Amino acid sequence: EDQVTQSPEALRLQEGESSSLNCSYTVSGLRGLFWYRQDPGKGPEFLFTLYSAGEEKEKERLKATLTKKESFLHITAPKPEDSATYLCAVPPSPPTWGSQGNLIFGKGTKLSVKP
Amino acid sequence: NAGVTQTPKFRILKIGQSMTLQCTQDMNHNYMYWYRQDPGMGLKLIYYSVGAGITDKGEVPNGYNVSRSTTEDFPLRLELAAPSQTSVYFCASSKTGSNQPQHFGDGTRLSIL
């Protein structure tokens, strides 16, 4: 069964304390892995797409990496404004319903950064 | 740059009432989606569309209907609202299929009492 699991569910950091969020997936023939940020009361905001093992993408204090079974979102020297829920998503294994464009989402990691 | 716009932002319905959640996008994307997000759960796909006139069911379609008469609009219809449909509903769009990022609206928060 296609599945996306994110850990930890919640993470509290002090400002400047670097850490990593994990996203593990079980799908056949990965066709991309997507990271989103979701602020309270808002829709998910696209951050990164990773397509192959070894690939890395960076944006400000965030760096996403991908292996054959999981992805990490590394947060370096976080600031309070990085507080949000971070979602990971992958397309399902075809020929599952919605395989033409659907994404399977994890439940997210809620990050809190205290000043 | 509007992106994906959803209306209304909040709504309270009584059991058995019906309503339509509106979604429009101005990015000329072919694919559009409706998800629901419940506390502690991941986003679940309700319906999706790969172009005007073409729709298909997702993981949790029961109690909902959709139509896609234009590229821009993808309304979601709730018939005979039930408490189990209390949720936050998100509309999203993407240029093409599963290897492209989806762009989301800010959601409709729906309570059914």
Side-chain angles (χ1 to χ4, degrees):
Chain A
E1 179 186 354
D2 294 339
Q3 200 165 2
V4 176
T5 303
Q6 292 188 246
S7 62
E9 291 184 10
L11 181 62
R12 292 187 175 189
L13 299 174
Q14 288 296 126
E15 185 173 1
E17 179 186 4
S18 301
S19 188
S20 296
L21 282 55
N22 178 263
C23 170
S24 62
Y25 57 89
T26 54
V27 295
S28 301
L30 183 69
R31 295 173 287 142
L33 185 142
F34 301 85
W35 281 100
Y36 289 84
R37 168 190 172 127
Q38 186 173 22
D39 293 300
K42 297 290 187 180
E45 175 188 353
F46 171 68
L47 292 173
F48 305 109
T49 310
L50 301 167
Y51 290 106
S52 56
E55 188 174 1
E56 298 182 353
K57 293 274 181 74
E58 286 189 64
K59 181 179 181 180
E60 295 182 355
R61 294 174 293 281
L62 302 177
K63 183 169 80 172
T65 62
L66 181 64
T67 72
K68 289 187 176 180
K69 291 295 183 186
E70 58 190 352
S71 177
F72 293 93
L73 185 64
H74 307 278
I75 304 175
T76 302
K79 297 182 178 181
E81 52 261 43
D82 294 321
S83 298
T85 296
Y86 291 85
L87 303 174
C88 166
V90 299
S93 307
T96 312
W97 48 263
S99 63
Q100 294 186 69
N102 181 33
L103 293 176
I104 299 174
F105 282 84
K107 295 180 181 180
T109 294
K110 185 176 182 179
L111 175 66
S112 299
V113 182
K114 302 299 182 184
Chain B
N1 191 4
V4 178
T5 302
Q6 292 184 240
T7 57
K9 295 188 184 301
F10 304 94
R11 184 73 183 267
I12 298 174
L13 283 181
K14 294 182 179 180
I15 295 171
Q17 288 185 320
S18 300
M19 76 164 293
T20 299
L21 281 64
Q22 302 291 345
C23 175
T24 188
Q25 53 93 7
D26 63 359
M27 298 174 282
N28 199 32
H29 284 172
N30 292 316
Y31 286 63
M32 295 188 74
Y33 315 83
W34 275 105
Y35 291 90
R36 61 178 288 172
Q37 186 176 43
D38 299 304
M41 305 296 291
L43 288 150
K44 300 292 185 184
L45 184 71
I46 304 171
Y47 271 95
Y48 71 103
S49 169
V50 301
I54 306 171
T55 64
D56 206 350
K57 296 177 181 179
E59 183 180 8
V60 289
N62 292 343
Y64 308 95
N65 279 297
V66 294
S67 59
R68 183 100 180 266
S69 57
T70 67
T71 299
E72 295 78 20
D73 301 307
F74 190 39
L76 177 72
R77 178 82 176 164
L78 276 73
E79 304 282 1
L80 298 174
S84 61
Q85 294 177 306
T86 293
S87 188
V88 182
Y89 292 85
F90 289 101
C91 178
S93 71
S94 63
K95 189 173 183 179
T96 56
S98 57
N99 64 343
Q100 295 292 316
Q102 295 180 13
H103 299 272
F104 286 79
D106 281 339
T108 293
R109 283 143 189 85
L110 180 63
S111 294
I112 299 172
L113 306 174

